[in-house]
Amino acid sequence: MYSYLFCSRIVNNNDYSSWVKWSDNGDQLLIGDWEFFVDTLVDMGFSMSGRTSAMRNFYSHGFKLKSDGRHRIPDENGVVWTILQHDKFIRDKPELLKDIIRTASLRKN
């Protein structure tokens, strides 16, 4: 839960809006620069090595990768956004963050 509280703080900070933001309706997380995103989390004390590590963490906590139908085409500013969604990660509803839990191990036996 705590890492998603920090993700929420990052996405709610307008200083970061050029590389991480909410979707227009506030139910999706959009990440446009994984290097800045991961570096910001690492600076906050989280251990991750890059985009793959961060994505693994999102998936293991029930986030889904979404498509905006553009198939990795940059927006008007040249940014290609990764879109993630979770039923409990919603703008202006921080009380739901406590319900984001690790859903399964991604390791194969």
Side-chain angles (χ1 to χ4, degrees), residues 19-36:
W19 54 269
V20 63
K21 61 184 179 179
W22 290 106
S23 61
D24 290 340
N25 62 358
D27 69 344
Q28 295 175 328
L29 172 66
L30 285 69
I31 302 172
D33 190 321
W34 280 92
E35 184 177 346
F36 278 123

PDB file of all heavy atoms in Angstrom, residues 19-36:
ATOM      1  N   TRP A  19       5.660  13.857 -17.334  1.00  0.00           N
ATOM      2  CA  TRP A  19       6.040  12.462 -17.489  1.00  0.00           C
ATOM      3  C   TRP A  19       5.192  11.464 -16.697  1.00  0.00           C
ATOM      4  O   TRP A  19       5.314  10.258 -16.886  1.00  0.00           O
ATOM      5  CB  TRP A  19       7.522  12.261 -17.189  1.00  0.00           C
ATOM      6  CG  TRP A  19       7.990  12.771 -15.858  1.00  0.00           C
ATOM      7  CD1 TRP A  19       8.486  14.015 -15.595  1.00  0.00           C
ATOM      8  CD2 TRP A  19       8.008  12.070 -14.619  1.00  0.00           C
ATOM      9  NE1 TRP A  19       8.804  14.123 -14.265  1.00  0.00           N
ATOM     10  CE2 TRP A  19       8.529  12.946 -13.642  1.00  0.00           C
ATOM     11  CE3 TRP A  19       7.642  10.778 -14.236  1.00  0.00           C
ATOM     12  CZ2 TRP A  19       8.694  12.582 -12.326  1.00  0.00           C
ATOM     13  CZ3 TRP A  19       7.802  10.419 -12.913  1.00  0.00           C
ATOM     14  CH2 TRP A  19       8.324  11.312 -11.982  1.00  0.00           C
ATOM     15  N   VAL A  20       4.299  11.944 -15.843  1.00  0.00           N
ATOM     16  CA  VAL A  20       3.348  11.057 -15.165  1.00  0.00           C
ATOM     17  C   VAL A  20       2.090  11.865 -14.856  1.00  0.00           C
ATOM     18  O   VAL A  20       2.171  13.017 -14.446  1.00  0.00           O
ATOM     19  CB  VAL A  20       3.951  10.423 -13.882  1.00  0.00           C
ATOM     20  CG1 VAL A  20       4.288  11.465 -12.844  1.00  0.00           C
ATOM     21  CG2 VAL A  20       3.034   9.352 -13.305  1.00  0.00           C
ATOM     22  N   LYS A  21       0.926  11.267 -15.112  1.00  0.00           N
ATOM     23  CA  LYS A  21      -0.322  11.997 -14.897  1.00  0.00           C
ATOM     24  C   LYS A  21      -1.491  11.024 -14.803  1.00  0.00           C
ATOM     25  O   LYS A  21      -1.363   9.833 -15.074  1.00  0.00           O
ATOM     26  CB  LYS A  21      -0.564  13.001 -16.024  1.00  0.00           C
ATOM     27  CG  LYS A  21      -0.703  12.362 -17.410  1.00  0.00           C
ATOM     28  CD  LYS A  21      -0.834  13.421 -18.487  1.00  0.00           C
ATOM     29  CE  LYS A  21      -0.954  12.783 -19.864  1.00  0.00           C
ATOM     30  NZ  LYS A  21      -1.093  13.806 -20.905  1.00  0.00           N
ATOM     31  N   TRP A  22      -2.632  11.573 -14.399  1.00  0.00           N
ATOM     32  CA  TRP A  22      -3.886  10.821 -14.397  1.00  0.00           C
ATOM     33  C   TRP A  22      -4.518  10.904 -15.787  1.00  0.00           C
ATOM     34  O   TRP A  22      -4.322  11.881 -16.512  1.00  0.00           O
ATOM     35  CB  TRP A  22      -4.873  11.420 -13.406  1.00  0.00           C
ATOM     36  CG  TRP A  22      -4.531  11.231 -11.976  1.00  0.00           C
ATOM     37  CD1 TRP A  22      -4.057  12.188 -11.122  1.00  0.00           C
ATOM     38  CD2 TRP A  22      -4.646  10.030 -11.205  1.00  0.00           C
ATOM     39  NE1 TRP A  22      -3.862  11.649  -9.872  1.00  0.00           N
ATOM     40  CE2 TRP A  22      -4.222  10.331  -9.895  1.00  0.00           C
ATOM     41  CE3 TRP A  22      -5.059   8.742 -11.498  1.00  0.00           C
ATOM     42  CZ2 TRP A  22      -4.205   9.377  -8.877  1.00  0.00           C
ATOM     43  CZ3 TRP A  22      -5.046   7.795 -10.489  1.00  0.00           C
ATOM     44  CH2 TRP A  22      -4.619   8.113  -9.199  1.00  0.00           C
ATOM     45  N   SER A  23      -5.317   9.912 -16.135  1.00  0.00           N
ATOM     46  CA  SER A  23      -6.158  10.019 -17.321  1.00  0.00           C
ATOM     47  C   SER A  23      -7.186  11.123 -17.061  1.00  0.00           C
ATOM     48  O   SER A  23      -7.358  11.570 -15.924  1.00  0.00           O
ATOM     49  CB  SER A  23      -6.870   8.687 -17.592  1.00  0.00           C
ATOM     50  OG  SER A  23      -7.713   8.343 -16.498  1.00  0.00           O
ATOM     51  N   ASP A  24      -7.855  11.559 -18.098  1.00  0.00           N
ATOM     52  CA  ASP A  24      -8.822  12.651 -17.947  1.00  0.00           C
ATOM     53  C   ASP A  24      -9.882  12.359 -16.891  1.00  0.00           C
ATOM     54  O   ASP A  24     -10.280  13.239 -16.139  1.00  0.00           O
ATOM     55  CB  ASP A  24      -9.493  12.977 -19.281  1.00  0.00           C
ATOM     56  CG  ASP A  24      -8.534  13.640 -20.257  1.00  0.00           C
ATOM     57  OD1 ASP A  24      -7.490  14.193 -19.816  1.00  0.00           O
ATOM     58  OD2 ASP A  24      -8.809  13.599 -21.469  1.00  0.00           O
ATOM     59  N   ASN A  25     -10.350  11.104 -16.823  1.00  0.00           N
ATOM     60  CA  ASN A  25     -11.396  10.788 -15.847  1.00  0.00           C
ATOM     61  C   ASN A  25     -10.840  10.289 -14.509  1.00  0.00           C
ATOM     62  O   ASN A  25     -11.598   9.971 -13.603  1.00  0.00           O
ATOM     63  CB  ASN A  25     -12.407   9.800 -16.422  1.00  0.00           C
ATOM     64  CG  ASN A  25     -11.795   8.482 -16.786  1.00  0.00           C
ATOM     65  OD1 ASN A  25     -10.590   8.284 -16.661  1.00  0.00           O
ATOM     66  ND2 ASN A  25     -12.622   7.565 -17.256  1.00  0.00           N
ATOM     67  N   GLY A  26      -9.501  10.224 -14.375  1.00  0.00           N
ATOM     68  CA  GLY A  26      -8.877   9.929 -13.092  1.00  0.00           C
ATOM     69  C   GLY A  26      -8.857   8.478 -12.672  1.00  0.00           C
ATOM     70  O   GLY A  26      -8.592   8.185 -11.510  1.00  0.00           O
ATOM     71  N   ASP A  27      -9.097   7.558 -13.601  1.00  0.00           N
ATOM     72  CA  ASP A  27      -9.078   6.144 -13.205  1.00  0.00           C
ATOM     73  C   ASP A  27      -7.918   5.360 -13.820  1.00  0.00           C
ATOM     74  O   ASP A  27      -7.857   4.145 -13.697  1.00  0.00           O
ATOM     75  CB  ASP A  27     -10.410   5.466 -13.534  1.00  0.00           C
ATOM     76  CG  ASP A  27     -10.647   5.307 -15.028  1.00  0.00           C
ATOM     77  OD1 ASP A  27      -9.959   5.968 -15.829  1.00  0.00           O
ATOM     78  OD2 ASP A  27     -11.540   4.516 -15.394  1.00  0.00           O
ATOM     79  N   GLN A  28      -6.994   6.060 -14.474  1.00  0.00           N
ATOM     80  CA  GLN A  28      -5.831   5.407 -15.054  1.00  0.00           C
ATOM     81  C   GLN A  28      -4.580   6.235 -14.766  1.00  0.00           C
ATOM     82  O   GLN A  28      -4.617   7.466 -14.746  1.00  0.00           O
ATOM     83  CB  GLN A  28      -5.989   5.250 -16.571  1.00  0.00           C
ATOM     84  CG  GLN A  28      -7.131   4.329 -16.941  1.00  0.00           C
ATOM     85  CD  GLN A  28      -7.344   4.271 -18.436  1.00  0.00           C
ATOM     86  OE1 GLN A  28      -7.121   5.239 -19.157  1.00  0.00           O
ATOM     87  NE2 GLN A  28      -7.801   3.126 -18.921  1.00  0.00           N
ATOM     88  N   LEU A  29      -3.481   5.531 -14.551  1.00  0.00           N
ATOM     89  CA  LEU A  29      -2.173   6.134 -14.349  1.00  0.00           C
ATOM     90  C   LEU A  29      -1.448   6.116 -15.686  1.00  0.00           C
ATOM     91  O   LEU A  29      -1.352   5.068 -16.325  1.00  0.00           O
ATOM     92  CB  LEU A  29      -1.388   5.327 -13.314  1.00  0.00           C
ATOM     93  CG  LEU A  29       0.074   5.685 -13.081  1.00  0.00           C
ATOM     94  CD1 LEU A  29       0.187   7.086 -12.478  1.00  0.00           C
ATOM     95  CD2 LEU A  29       0.726   4.655 -12.171  1.00  0.00           C
ATOM     96  N   LEU A  30      -0.946   7.260 -16.128  1.00  0.00           N
ATOM     97  CA  LEU A  30      -0.214   7.364 -17.380  1.00  0.00           C
ATOM     98  C   LEU A  30       1.231   7.715 -17.068  1.00  0.00           C
ATOM     99  O   LEU A  30       1.497   8.701 -16.371  1.00  0.00           O
ATOM    100  CB  LEU A  30      -0.808   8.440 -18.284  1.00  0.00           C
ATOM    101  CG  LEU A  30      -2.120   8.101 -19.006  1.00  0.00           C
ATOM    102  CD1 LEU A  30      -3.278   7.997 -18.047  1.00  0.00           C
ATOM    103  CD2 LEU A  30      -2.412   9.140 -20.060  1.00  0.00           C
ATOM    104  N   ILE A  31       2.148   6.887 -17.547  1.00  0.00           N
ATOM    105  CA  ILE A  31       3.577   7.120 -17.322  1.00  0.00           C
ATOM    106  C   ILE A  31       4.241   7.321 -18.671  1.00  0.00           C
ATOM    107  O   ILE A  31       4.191   6.451 -19.541  1.00  0.00           O
ATOM    108  CB  ILE A  31       4.224   5.948 -16.563  1.00  0.00           C
ATOM    109  CG1 ILE A  31       3.518   5.731 -15.222  1.00  0.00           C
ATOM    110  CG2 ILE A  31       5.725   6.199 -16.358  1.00  0.00           C
ATOM    111  CD1 ILE A  31       3.939   4.486 -14.487  1.00  0.00           C
ATOM    112  N   GLY A  32       4.872   8.480 -18.840  1.00  0.00           N
ATOM    113  CA  GLY A  32       5.510   8.820 -20.109  1.00  0.00           C
ATOM    114  C   GLY A  32       7.018   8.745 -20.080  1.00  0.00           C
ATOM    115  O   GLY A  32       7.658   8.718 -21.119  1.00  0.00           O
ATOM    116  N   ASP A  33       7.606   8.693 -18.898  1.00  0.00           N
ATOM    117  CA  ASP A  33       9.059   8.581 -18.783  1.00  0.00           C
ATOM    118  C   ASP A  33       9.382   7.686 -17.599  1.00  0.00           C
ATOM    119  O   ASP A  33       9.373   8.116 -16.445  1.00  0.00           O
ATOM    120  CB  ASP A  33       9.699   9.957 -18.614  1.00  0.00           C
ATOM    121  CG  ASP A  33      11.215   9.905 -18.732  1.00  0.00           C
ATOM    122  OD1 ASP A  33      11.823   8.935 -18.222  1.00  0.00           O
ATOM    123  OD2 ASP A  33      11.790  10.832 -19.328  1.00  0.00           O
ATOM    124  N   TRP A  34       9.647   6.425 -17.906  1.00  0.00           N
ATOM    125  CA  TRP A  34       9.891   5.444 -16.860  1.00  0.00           C
ATOM    126  C   TRP A  34      11.161   5.739 -16.077  1.00  0.00           C
ATOM    127  O   TRP A  34      11.248   5.471 -14.883  1.00  0.00           O
ATOM    128  CB  TRP A  34       9.937   4.033 -17.459  1.00  0.00           C
ATOM    129  CG  TRP A  34       8.574   3.521 -17.685  1.00  0.00           C
ATOM    130  CD1 TRP A  34       7.830   3.619 -18.833  1.00  0.00           C
ATOM    131  CD2 TRP A  34       7.744   2.876 -16.728  1.00  0.00           C
ATOM    132  NE1 TRP A  34       6.595   3.064 -18.633  1.00  0.00           N
ATOM    133  CE2 TRP A  34       6.516   2.593 -17.363  1.00  0.00           C
ATOM    134  CE3 TRP A  34       7.917   2.508 -15.406  1.00  0.00           C
ATOM    135  CZ2 TRP A  34       5.467   1.954 -16.702  1.00  0.00           C
ATOM    136  CZ3 TRP A  34       6.876   1.865 -14.751  1.00  0.00           C
ATOM    137  CH2 TRP A  34       5.678   1.599 -15.406  1.00  0.00           C
ATOM    138  N   GLU A  35      12.173   6.296 -16.734  1.00  0.00           N
ATOM    139  CA  GLU A  35      13.417   6.590 -16.035  1.00  0.00           C
ATOM    140  C   GLU A  35      13.177   7.587 -14.900  1.00  0.00           C
ATOM    141  O   GLU A  35      13.605   7.373 -13.769  1.00  0.00           O
ATOM    142  CB  GLU A  35      14.460   7.134 -17.006  1.00  0.00           C
ATOM    143  CG  GLU A  35      15.804   7.377 -16.354  1.00  0.00           C
ATOM    144  CD  GLU A  35      16.866   7.847 -17.336  1.00  0.00           C
ATOM    145  OE1 GLU A  35      16.657   7.746 -18.553  1.00  0.00           O
ATOM    146  OE2 GLU A  35      17.904   8.325 -16.850  1.00  0.00           O
ATOM    147  N   PHE A  36      12.473   8.676 -15.188  1.00  0.00           N
ATOM    148  CA  PHE A  36      12.160   9.657 -14.147  1.00  0.00           C
ATOM    149  C   PHE A  36      11.262   9.049 -13.070  1.00  0.00           C
ATOM    150  O   PHE A  36      11.439   9.297 -11.884  1.00  0.00           O
ATOM    151  CB  PHE A  36      11.484  10.899 -14.722  1.00  0.00           C
ATOM    152  CG  PHE A  36      12.443  11.890 -15.313  1.00  0.00           C
ATOM    153  CD1 PHE A  36      12.304  12.288 -16.633  1.00  0.00           C
ATOM    154  CD2 PHE A  36      13.473  12.432 -14.564  1.00  0.00           C
ATOM    155  CE1 PHE A  36      13.179  13.201 -17.188  1.00  0.00           C
ATOM    156  CE2 PHE A  36      14.353  13.344 -15.110  1.00  0.00           C
ATOM    157  CZ  PHE A  36      14.212  13.731 -16.434  1.00  0.00           C
TER     158      PHE A  36
END
